[in-house]
Amino acid sequence: MSADRIIPFAFESLPVRGALIQMSRSWRRMQREHDYDTLITESLGHAAAATGLIAQSLKFDGAITLQIKGSGALQMLVMQCTGDLEMRGRASVDEGAASARFSDLTENAHCAITVDAGERPYQGIVAIEGEFLSSSLEHYFDRSVQVPSHVALVADENVAGGVLLQQMPGQEMDEDDWNRLHFILQTLTTRDFDGDAGLKLIGKLFAEDDVRIHEKRTVSFQCRCSDQKVEDVLKMLGEQESREALNANGEIEVVCEYCGEKRLFDSVDVSRLFADNVVTGPRSVQ
Ligand SMILES: [Zn+2]
């Protein structure tokens, strides 16, 4: 059984709502075509859990993109999640620059969160500060969205998990309770997310509180690449450049950076792309 899901919940006697995310199969699939080191794996897993939690909190129809860009070893990290909680993501790393800590990895980095719900995309940007992505996201929620939030994120190569707690707008929150919840989240480790832990974990973390659980939602890995999108790129490149890109075997090989799907185009495909009345597609190689 897949344990990849988000469980939303609310506190009965505190003006706080929250959600817990637990990803294993989808998270491993996301790493499959890549060879990330431990620190990058952890950072990407944190981003995956965070992006899923943000998408859940927005309840929208569209896609959200979390993007980290910097001048440290982590050149770029992209994580995307749709309103249906379909996710993909990847990281580009400067192999020469070894980093021991997230703060080195993300030197001078910014995190941009773009919400694209069809009309005008909305983007919020926050500087990456501190040892973890979670603290930067708390700043993002405080400043950009004006919703005081606690964010806890954990990840290793097998699991990406996290909890988001947010104060309800317009309601008075007791400072001690809010701090207590903060300290509870600080105890989270990847081991808490072993196996089928979701519901039990919420019960364990908030044993002192009355928590109402809402219906869980499935999280999945789903790439958004398609033959059509690659063909559009080749069309933008132009016929001459596309022909020049044919390799010794007379093929253009295009590999998706997210899912690793390989698409091959030969000279017949190139002719087809730049002719009218397009009918057939390229060969897909698993
Ligand atoms: Zn893909």
Side-chain angles (χ1 to χ4, degrees):
M1 192 174 72
S2 170
D4 293 28
R5 66 211 157 172
I6 291 183
I7 305 173
F9 57 87
F11 290 78
E12 296 282 16
S13 47
L14 298 173
V16 175
R17 64 182 163 214
L20 178 142
I21 186 168
Q22 182 172 16
M23 297 170 67
S24 52
R25 187 195 296 187
S26 56
W27 167 230
R28 286 195 297 270
R29 173 64 186 84
M30 208 181 284
Q31 302 166 73
R32 198 176 74 190
E33 307 296 330
H34 304 271
D35 188 20
Y36 300 126
D37 69 20
T38 309
L39 185 60
I40 295 288
T41 300
E42 184 184 65
S43 306
L44 192 71
H46 285 184
T51 307
L53 288 168
I54 296 169
Q56 153 65 26
S57 76
L58 292 174
K59 298 180 182 70
F60 68 120
D61 189 16
I64 157 173
T65 303
L66 181 150
Q67 189 171 41
I68 298 173
K69 258 182 170 169
S71 55
L74 181 65
Q75 294 167 325
M76 182 148 80
L77 183 157
V78 183
M79 189 63 60
Q80 295 178 320
C81 185
T82 68
D84 293 329
L85 304 180
E86 293 175 343
M87 217 183 287
R88 70 172 187 175
R90 65 184 179 88
S92 312
V93 186
D94 177 358
E95 301 289 353
S99 296
R101 297 182 313 175
F102 183 70
S103 53
D104 302 332
L105 204 62
T106 54
E107 210 178 333
N108 301 319
H110 283 78
C111 175
I113 294 169
T114 310
V115 180
D116 188 352
E119 290 169 18
R120 267 216 327 238
Y122 166 82
Q123 188 174 67
I125 297 179
V126 65
I128 299 277
E129 291 160 350
E131 282 304 314
F132 298 103
L133 178 62
S134 53
S135 51
S136 301
L137 291 174
E138 287 177 352
H139 287 147
Y140 164 79
F141 281 118
D142 273 348
R143 288 178 210 158
S144 294
V145 196
Q146 270 127 41
V147 180
S149 304
H150 290 322
V151 183
L153 305 168
V154 297
D156 59 23
E157 58 184 358
N158 292 313
V159 69
V163 174
L164 171 66
L165 297 179
Q166 298 193 297
Q167 291 185 22
M168 308 269 215
Q171 294 189 46
E172 197 75 14
M173 178 80 210
D174 181 85
E175 195 75 15
D176 289 341
D177 276 327
W178 189 235
N179 288 335
R180 177 173 62 84
L181 294 178
H182 172 73
F183 286 118
I184 290 173
L185 292 199
Q186 304 256 291
T187 66
L188 274 181
T189 69
T190 49
R191 294 188 64 182
D192 289 315
F193 289 84
D194 277 349
D196 209 17
L199 274 178
K200 255 191 265 169
L201 179 55
I202 294 172
K204 188 184 109 184
L205 287 174
F206 309 114
E208 282 183 43
D209 299 279
D210 216 354
V211 172
R212 182 161 21 104
I213 306 287
H214 298 297
E215 196 172 339
K216 69 176 186 226
R217 301 180 63 201
T218 300
V219 178
S220 59
F221 174 88
Q222 185 69 54
C223 195
R224 293 153 73 197
C225 67
S226 67
D227 296 346
Q228 186 63 51
K229 282 182 184 165
V230 178
E231 289 184 0
D232 289 347
V233 171
L234 291 175
K235 278 183 189 165
M236 266 165 43
L237 208 59
E239 181 163 8
Q240 196 186 338
E241 295 232 354
S242 294
R243 292 213 175 277
E244 282 167 12
L246 293 166
N247 62 20
N249 299 326
E251 290 168 332
I252 304 172
E253 183 181 297
V254 182
V255 181
C256 176
E257 291 174 308
Y258 290 93
C259 69
E261 176 156 353
K262 195 196 278 183
R263 293 180 170 86
L264 293 173
F265 296 80
D266 61 19
S267 65
V268 177
D269 293 318
V270 173
S271 301
R272 173 180 59 80
L273 283 179
F274 294 96
D276 294 332
N277 302 323
V278 175
V279 194
T280 52
R283 284 176 287 143
S284 270
V285 179
Q286 293 302 315

